[in-house]
Amino acid sequence: MAAKIISGKEVAAQIREELKKEVGELKDRHDVVPGLVTILVGEDPASVSYVTAKQKTSHDLSFHSIQDNQPADISEEHLLQLIDKYNKDPKIHGILVQLPLPKHINEKKVLNAIDPDKDVDGFHPVNVGRLMIGGEEVKFLPCTPAGIQELIVRSGYRTEGAEVVVVGRSNIVGKPIANIMLQKATGANSTVTVVHTRTKGMASHCKRADILIVAAGVPGLVKPEWIKPGACVIDVGVNRVGEKISEKTGKKVAILKGDVDFETAKEIAGAITPVPGGVGPMTITMLMKNTVRAAKIAAGVK
Ligand code: NAP
């Protein structure tokens, strides 16, 4: 039987509706409006489009949102001063610096300057540490891994006691999602294995997975025979494998493929995310969720 297709677009839309309600309640009951600033340095077209999408979503959710555009030659010192200004601004609950930054700026230094309680991207070492400790300590989950967890939970898969296998150990996807699924918490409590390029017998690890999360960046890496029948397969990979002319716009667009051979995998898996349209649409929505959480924490609202 063909797998259920998990639509990230639909789940993201559902979460945004829930957030709208939460934002309304925050305003009505506590006079709090979540505030998000996105800082863009330079005019890299991909960065401009990411920041524009983030700003559009935060406007749609009635956030107090600021897009702060800075020239490519801004000094590191000036950028750090700007972050300090937003760290102290009580109307701003989330600060996002769009990466990459120009070469003359130390990215790590800039990201580490963000107040961890406004780090809605969830990558500040303090938030990485909080996730490692778990429980009440956790403030913000990094957005893509948090989106992956939502997709699994909302597709009805039981995570407690499930064998979760994560392909990839990057700091932005593999390690944090492994850590999230390992938490002693609802939507987690899984038995987690992480595999990577030095793993022996990749296929046999993957074949054990009730939930298989693939974030390797290798198109078609996971073969259908690596998948346990009925498993939930989350394909995080986004690989440009060519170009085509869009029927909608008539313009050249990239052909995207995931890390899983979707056509064959969907005949074996119980549920699977497509690429595009799976994990991708979740990331910005989870950024918004983190911003609402930051506003609630700042206001002392449960
Ligand atoms: P990354 O930093 O390049 O890490 C890839 C990981 O996969 C590494 O740990 C690597 O192992 C492992 N790996 C690579 N080839 C492998 C192989 N043949 N067998 C086993 N393991 C292998 O990548 P990333 O940033 O995590 O991103 C992974 C993919 O997810 C990319 O396609 C990226 O575009 C996509 N992505 C999507 C979203 C989104 O949709 N919102 C967000 C982030 C990333 P080693 O550590 O041993 O080298």
Side-chain angles (χ1 to χ4, degrees), residues 144 168-170 172-173 196-197 202 215-218 221 236-239 279-280 283:
T144 299
R169 56 178 167 182
S170 72
I172 65 163
V173 189
H196 45 78
T197 56
M202 274 264 296
V218 180
L221 173 70
V236 191
V238 180
N239 306 292
V279 175
T283 303

Tab-separated table of all heavy atoms in Angstrom, residues 144 168-170 172-173 196-197 202 215-218 221 236-239 279-280 283, ligand 1:
chain	number	residue	atom	x	y	z
A	144	THR	N	14.460	23.722	12.228
A	144	THR	CA	14.229	22.566	11.337
A	144	THR	C	13.997	21.289	12.157
A	144	THR	O	12.998	20.586	11.916
A	144	THR	CB	15.385	22.417	10.321
A	144	THR	OG1	15.435	23.611	9.534
A	144	THR	CG2	15.185	21.229	9.414
A	168	GLY	N	22.968	11.315	9.504
A	168	GLY	CA	23.596	12.641	9.520
A	168	GLY	C	23.779	13.124	10.944
A	168	GLY	O	22.948	12.848	11.812
A	169	ARG	N	24.901	13.828	11.184
A	169	ARG	CA	25.219	14.293	12.546
A	169	ARG	C	25.627	15.761	12.537
A	169	ARG	O	26.531	16.167	13.281
A	169	ARG	CB	26.320	13.430	13.151
A	169	ARG	CG	27.570	13.384	12.288
A	169	ARG	CD	28.681	12.580	12.912
A	169	ARG	NE	29.726	12.298	11.946
A	169	ARG	CZ	30.813	11.581	12.201
A	169	ARG	NH1	30.996	11.085	13.392
A	169	ARG	NH2	31.707	11.366	11.261
A	170	SER	N	25.012	16.554	11.660
A	170	SER	CA	25.366	17.977	11.627
A	170	SER	C	24.811	18.679	12.861
A	170	SER	O	23.893	18.183	13.518
A	170	SER	CB	24.800	18.645	10.370
A	170	SER	OG	23.397	18.767	10.482
A	172	ILE	N	23.163	21.403	12.740
A	172	ILE	CA	21.876	22.073	12.490
A	172	ILE	C	20.703	21.101	12.353
A	172	ILE	O	19.573	21.480	12.584
A	172	ILE	CB	21.926	23.067	11.302
A	172	ILE	CG1	22.174	22.354	9.985
A	172	ILE	CG2	22.930	24.164	11.513
A	172	ILE	CD1	21.815	23.259	8.806
A	173	VAL	N	20.969	19.858	11.981
A	173	VAL	CA	19.860	18.902	11.859
A	173	VAL	C	20.110	17.609	12.660
A	173	VAL	O	19.383	17.311	13.610
A	173	VAL	CB	19.550	18.532	10.382
A	173	VAL	CG1	18.247	17.724	10.321
A	173	VAL	CG2	19.441	19.743	9.475
A	196	HIS	N	26.400	7.927	10.204
A	196	HIS	CA	27.148	8.937	9.449
A	196	HIS	C	28.111	8.246	8.500
A	196	HIS	O	28.014	7.015	8.324
A	196	HIS	CB	27.867	9.878	10.434
A	196	HIS	CG	28.553	9.136	11.535
A	196	HIS	ND1	29.758	8.505	11.353
A	196	HIS	CD2	28.157	8.872	12.810
A	196	HIS	CE1	30.098	7.906	12.474
A	196	HIS	NE2	29.144	8.103	13.385
A	197	THR	N	29.044	8.997	7.942
A	197	THR	CA	29.901	8.403	6.898
A	197	THR	C	30.837	7.307	7.426
A	197	THR	O	31.357	6.525	6.642
A	197	THR	CB	30.762	9.481	6.194
A	197	THR	OG1	31.520	10.166	7.182
A	197	THR	CG2	29.916	10.459	5.412
A	202	MET	N	25.218	0.693	7.330
A	202	MET	CA	24.156	1.722	7.322
A	202	MET	C	22.767	1.123	7.083
A	202	MET	O	21.797	1.453	7.751
A	202	MET	CB	24.427	2.694	6.165
A	202	MET	CG	25.342	3.803	6.492
A	202	MET	SD	24.423	5.255	6.933
A	202	MET	CE	23.570	5.602	5.408
A	215	ALA	N	19.119	13.213	6.908
A	215	ALA	CA	19.651	14.563	6.676
A	215	ALA	C	21.117	14.440	6.300
A	215	ALA	O	22.008	14.759	7.085
A	215	ALA	CB	19.482	15.432	7.913
A	216	ALA	N	21.380	13.957	5.090
A	216	ALA	CA	22.754	13.720	4.649
A	216	ALA	C	23.173	14.677	3.532
A	216	ALA	O	24.341	14.988	3.376
A	216	ALA	CB	22.905	12.280	4.170
A	217	GLY	N	22.202	15.127	2.734
A	217	GLY	CA	22.541	15.979	1.593
A	217	GLY	C	23.091	15.173	0.427
A	217	GLY	O	23.905	15.675	-0.350
A	218	VAL	N	22.638	13.922	0.313
A	218	VAL	CA	23.059	13.047	-0.793
A	218	VAL	C	21.796	12.549	-1.499
A	218	VAL	O	21.036	11.774	-0.910
A	218	VAL	CB	23.872	11.834	-0.267
A	218	VAL	CG1	24.305	10.938	-1.422
A	218	VAL	CG2	25.064	12.293	0.553
A	221	LEU	N	20.148	8.742	-1.413
A	221	LEU	CA	21.031	7.889	-0.605
A	221	LEU	C	20.293	6.668	-0.048
A	221	LEU	O	20.792	5.545	-0.095
A	221	LEU	CB	21.622	8.719	0.554
A	221	LEU	CG	22.433	7.956	1.600
A	221	LEU	CD1	23.745	7.469	1.012
A	221	LEU	CD2	22.727	8.835	2.817
A	236	VAL	N	14.907	15.055	5.015
A	236	VAL	CA	15.276	16.462	5.238
A	236	VAL	C	16.088	16.996	4.047
A	236	VAL	O	16.148	18.200	3.817
A	236	VAL	CB	16.097	16.610	6.553
A	236	VAL	CG1	16.250	18.077	6.937
A	236	VAL	CG2	15.445	15.854	7.696
A	237	GLY	N	16.680	16.110	3.306
A	237	GLY	CA	17.589	16.512	2.222
A	237	GLY	C	16.942	17.417	1.182
A	237	GLY	O	15.797	17.207	0.777
A	238	VAL	N	17.676	18.431	0.791
A	238	VAL	CA	17.251	19.300	-0.314
A	238	VAL	C	18.444	19.380	-1.260
A	238	VAL	O	19.444	20.024	-0.946
A	238	VAL	CB	16.872	20.714	0.178
A	238	VAL	CG1	16.435	21.581	-1.003
A	238	VAL	CG2	15.758	20.664	1.213
A	239	ASN	N	18.357	18.672	-2.374
A	239	ASN	CA	19.484	18.604	-3.309
A	239	ASN	C	19.060	19.132	-4.673
A	239	ASN	O	18.044	18.701	-5.218
A	239	ASN	CB	19.931	17.141	-3.444
A	239	ASN	CG	20.240	16.511	-2.084
A	239	ASN	OD1	21.197	16.885	-1.425
A	239	ASN	ND2	19.403	15.572	-1.648
A	279	VAL	N	9.655	18.835	4.921
A	279	VAL	CA	10.274	19.529	6.068
A	279	VAL	C	10.433	21.026	5.793
A	279	VAL	O	10.226	21.864	6.681
A	279	VAL	CB	11.655	18.894	6.386
A	279	VAL	CG1	12.369	19.663	7.486
A	279	VAL	CG2	11.488	17.430	6.777
A	280	GLY	N	10.776	21.371	4.543
A	280	GLY	CA	11.070	22.766	4.178
A	280	GLY	C	10.080	23.789	4.718
A	280	GLY	O	10.484	24.738	5.412
A	283	THR	N	10.173	25.139	8.676
A	283	THR	CA	11.245	25.848	9.386
A	283	THR	C	10.831	27.268	9.826
A	283	THR	O	11.000	27.639	10.990
A	283	THR	CB	12.522	25.858	8.522
A	283	THR	OG1	12.846	24.491	8.234
A	283	THR	CG2	13.697	26.478	9.241
B	1	NAP	P1	25.817	18.549	6.493
B	1	NAP	O1	26.257	19.558	7.481
B	1	NAP	O2	26.542	18.420	5.196
B	1	NAP	O3	25.830	17.121	7.216
B	1	NAP	C1	25.531	15.960	6.519
B	1	NAP	C2	25.646	14.782	7.441
B	1	NAP	O4	25.299	13.622	6.713
B	1	NAP	C3	27.061	14.569	7.992
B	1	NAP	O5	26.999	14.221	9.357
B	1	NAP	C4	27.599	13.414	7.154
B	1	NAP	O6	28.440	12.531	7.866
B	1	NAP	C5	26.331	12.660	6.814
B	1	NAP	N1	26.471	11.974	5.517
B	1	NAP	C6	26.765	12.516	4.321
B	1	NAP	N2	26.842	11.570	3.373
B	1	NAP	C7	26.610	10.396	3.998
B	1	NAP	C8	26.582	9.049	3.573
B	1	NAP	N3	26.816	8.726	2.310
B	1	NAP	N4	26.293	8.111	4.489
B	1	NAP	C9	26.077	8.429	5.773
B	1	NAP	N5	26.086	9.682	6.245
B	1	NAP	C10	26.355	10.657	5.360
B	1	NAP	O7	24.290	18.733	6.098
B	1	NAP	P2	23.045	19.385	6.897
B	1	NAP	O8	23.258	20.840	7.034
B	1	NAP	O9	22.707	18.556	8.072
B	1	NAP	O10	21.902	19.166	5.798
B	1	NAP	C11	21.549	17.895	5.360
B	1	NAP	C12	20.510	18.043	4.234
B	1	NAP	O11	19.345	18.652	4.779
B	1	NAP	C13	20.949	18.951	3.088
B	1	NAP	O12	20.428	18.456	1.880
B	1	NAP	C14	20.313	20.275	3.406
B	1	NAP	O13	20.067	21.066	2.273
B	1	NAP	C15	19.014	19.820	4.056
B	1	NAP	N6	18.422	20.813	4.974
B	1	NAP	C16	17.126	21.144	4.805
B	1	NAP	C17	16.522	22.048	5.666
B	1	NAP	C18	15.083	22.426	5.469
B	1	NAP	O14	14.392	21.815	4.710
B	1	NAP	N7	14.564	23.410	6.106
B	1	NAP	C19	17.249	22.629	6.707
B	1	NAP	C20	18.568	22.233	6.883
B	1	NAP	C21	19.163	21.309	6.022
B	1	NAP	P3	29.888	12.969	8.457
B	1	NAP	O15	29.587	13.779	9.673
B	1	NAP	O16	30.526	11.684	8.774
B	1	NAP	O17	30.557	13.768	7.380
